[in-house]
Every structure is written in structure tokens, then in C-alpha cells.
Amino acid sequence: MKRDYLSVDDLTQDELIALLDLAAKVKAEPEGYAGRLHGRAVAMVFEKPSTRTRVSFEVAAASAGAHPVALSSAELQLGRGETIEDTGRVLSRYVDVVVLRTFEQERLELLAAASSVPVVNALSDFEHPCQCLADLLTVREIKGDLKSRTLAYLGDGNNVTHSLLLGCAKVGMRIRVATPPGFEPIPQVVHRAREIATQTGGAVELLNDPAEACSGADVLYTDVWASMGQEGEADERALVFLAYQLNERMVELAAPDVTVLHCLPAHRGQEITDEVIDGPHSAVWDQAENRMHTQKALLLFLLGVA
Ligand code: CP
Ligand code: NVA
């Protein structure tokens, strides 16, 4: 049966760890995987802008020997009203994996149900599961292990937060999410992350106090205050989120060897200061690079050629 990757929760704990192991191998010896996807094709459909996801997926596919086809929805008949299901039915006849960046998670579910090939969530309003793979690999590379490490996330309880909640819980990490009241991650994701954490020895804490969240943390993470599709709320959000900025004060509260992550793109001076993103604790460029290695591993895993 084909496998989709629409949520971090589509992977078992063992699969997630095996995928990180494979990504580390792919990164260490890319030549060993050069022709592994020869003769395969990967279609990527973007209904929102992208720099990292698009380029890293294209390069990951090509460097493993697959043919990538990246398209914006405006270039497709999708932009003129063809349904996502019909698009999936047709793309399944040409390619081996379909990657979609979109708004509602439901569109990914409809696409996956209609497609005979694996479907990958390249970001929806609900989750960003590909980002989470790179985040976990980056933490593991720096800290050596993941279990019982504490990650503090500051800002909006959004798609990136949801994937981090599930991913951290799955690998036995402790995650603290500090948001302004009213911007918490959605309760069903928090509930599911807590359920997973009880099995793995992880922990999930929701807070409104950013300083409390950062205290002693091994990893500090933030994301934009207004996600794609929320541009109209940006000014209002900038005021609400001011106290959640990842700045030097937050870094000082964390562990002395804290690692700073951001999925990027960053709005410097808003959710993160120049000093912190360009500072000695920042691993954001390695994190961005790891999108490519983890997505190559994901393609190998979904196509059963790992
Ligand atoms: N982090 C991330 O997904 O970046 P892009 O929006 O540039 O793909
Ligand atoms: N939360 C952000 C992530 C961008 C990679 C957004 O959805 O715009």
C-alpha cells in the first residue's frame, strides 16, 4: 500500500528515527544515493510561495536521479478550476510522488485519496511535516541525541508548531510552547502530542510566559508572527507578539550551549533579532540545508528504495 506523508503523525516513532538515520547517511555519502531514484519523477505543486521547500525538493530529487517537476498552481489547470482530485488522478499517471503546498489540510487529504502515488505535505495551514524532519536532524547533529532535550518554541501556535509538537513528542523530547493567549496550537494536536509523549517519555507544556519557556532550554525556536495567508493581520499581530521575540534576553535564560532554530523565512527585528539569528547559537543555515537531506531520505522511504 502506498504511504503518504501529510502529518508527522503518519510515521511511527521507529520510522521517524529510521528516517533521520537515513537522512544522516544521505548527507554523509550523497554519492551512495546518486542513481537510487533513476527513472522516477516527482511533481511539486505550490499554491503558496516557497524558496527552501521548492529548491531543496527539486535538488534532492534530481541528485538521487529522479526528474523533478515544480509548478505553481497558477500554471496548472488547478488555477482554472480543475479539482485537486482530478489533478491527483492525472499526475499519478506521470509521476511517482506528488508534493503539495496548500492552505487547508483537507486539500492534501483529498489529493492523497485520489492519487495512486504517495502524497507529501510541503506545508499546509495545519502542519509543516517536512520542516520538522530537518529540525529534528539539526538538533540531533548538534546535541548528539534527542531524548529528554528541551525545545522552547516562542510565538504563534501555527503549522510549524503543530509539526514540532508531534515530532518532539515522537522522539521523546520535551517541548514548551509559549504563545500569547488566543494563539495556542489547536487542542486536538496538543492532546495527540501529549498522548504520544506518555509513550515515549517526552513532555508537552503550553505556556503564555516566554521567559519561563526559555529557562534552561536546549533549543529555542521561533517562526513568523503572520503566516502565509495572514498578511492582512500582520500589523495587529506585530503588537500582540512583541513580548515573544527571540532576542538576546531569551538566549541568556536558556542553557549556555542553546541552539537557536527558525524555519525561515525570518522577519528580522520582529520574531527574531539580527543579533540572535546571526549569533553564535544560531543553526538556521544548517537547518535549511537539512531540508534537502531529509527530503531525499523521505523520497527514498516513500518509494521503498531506502
Ligand atoms: N521553511 C520553509 O518551508 O521555507 P519556504 O517557505 O521558503 O519553502
Ligand atoms: N508558518 C509559516 C511557515 C513558513 C515556512 C507560514 O505558514 O507561512
Side-chain angles (χ1 to χ4, degrees):
M1 208 178 98
K2 67 141 177 159
R3 294 288 301 268
D4 300 308
Y5 186 54
L6 308 188
S7 163
V8 173
D9 207 16
D10 288 341
L11 299 174
T12 64
Q13 181 190 23
D14 288 350
E15 285 171 338
L16 176 53
I17 291 166
L19 199 50
L20 297 176
D21 291 343
L22 179 62
K25 275 184 20 201
V26 160
K27 183 174 180 176
E29 332 150 18
E31 53 297 337
Y33 296 86
R36 217 54 92 84
L37 295 179
H38 179 73
R40 311 289 185 121
V42 181
M44 291 156 236
V45 177
F46 289 87
E47 298 190 314
K48 290 174 176 171
S50 170
T51 297
R52 279 144 289 269
T53 308
R54 176 170 172 169
V55 178
S56 61
F57 252 120
E58 276 202 57
V59 174
S63 68
H67 179 75
V69 186
L71 299 151
S72 77
S73 50
E75 294 168 275
L76 294 167
Q77 295 290 3
L78 201 54
R80 295 182 57 250
E82 187 169 20
T83 69
I84 194 75
E85 293 98 319
D86 287 351
T87 304
R89 288 181 187 110
V90 171
L91 289 178
S92 296
R93 301 292 177 105
Y94 306 139
V95 305
D96 300 280
V97 178
V98 179
V99 176
L100 173 66
R101 168 167 288 195
T102 190
F103 292 85
E104 302 87 15
Q105 183 78 2
E106 195 198 355
R107 273 176 88 67
L108 280 150
E109 282 156 12
L110 292 172
L111 176 68
S115 301
S116 57
V117 299
V119 170
V120 174
N121 179 357
L123 180 146
S124 66
D125 292 344
F126 184 63
E127 265 207 61
H128 197 358
C130 292
Q131 180 66 52
C132 185
L133 298 176
D135 302 341
L136 294 177
L137 181 66
T138 310
V139 176
R140 201 174 73 166
E141 284 174 345
I142 297 168
K143 304 294 179 198
D145 60 4
L146 292 169
K147 229 172 163 40
S148 304
R149 295 286 178 179
T150 300
L151 181 147
Y153 175 94
L154 306 183
D156 188 22
N158 60 16
N159 44 9
V160 168
T161 325
H162 291 156
S163 292
L164 276 173
L165 277 163
L166 296 166
C168 289
K170 221 156 252 224
V171 298
M173 286 175 71
R174 311 176 72 82
I175 175 163
R176 300 180 192 147
V177 174
T179 68
F183 294 89
E184 288 86 0
I186 72 162
Q188 84 194 66
V189 177
V190 177
H191 175 80
R192 176 63 188 143
R194 289 202 165 123
E195 194 174 68
I196 297 167
T198 58
Q199 308 292 313
T200 62
V204 174
E205 244 185 298
L206 292 199
L207 307 151
N208 295 125
D209 180 353
E212 192 185 340
C214 293
S215 172
D218 300 300
V219 182
L220 298 183
Y221 199 121
T222 193
D223 182 17
V224 291
W225 291 339
S227 284
M228 290 180 274
Q230 298 172 333
E231 289 78 4
E233 298 169 31
D235 290 348
E236 193 185 314
R237 282 171 170 261
L239 298 176
V240 177
F241 284 95
L242 212 54
Y244 295 81
Q245 183 184 64
L246 211 177
N247 53 33
E248 209 47 55
R249 190 171 85 84
M250 300 300 164
V251 171
E252 275 161 23
L253 293 169
D257 64 345
V258 66
T259 297
V260 169
L261 299 181
H262 189 310
C263 58
L264 305 175
H267 288 74
R268 288 164 174 260
Q270 289 199 19
E271 77 274 2
I272 193 161
T273 58
D274 284 332
E275 214 181 356
V276 171
I277 197 169
D278 297 327
H281 297 283
S282 172
V284 302
W285 317 118
D286 293 330
Q287 181 187 7
E289 178 188 330
N290 282 338
R291 296 293 307 278
M292 187 171 65
H293 307 300
T294 46
Q295 285 157 196
K296 195 190 290 188
L298 180 66
L299 292 174
L300 295 165
F301 168 78
L302 293 175
L303 291 171
V305 291

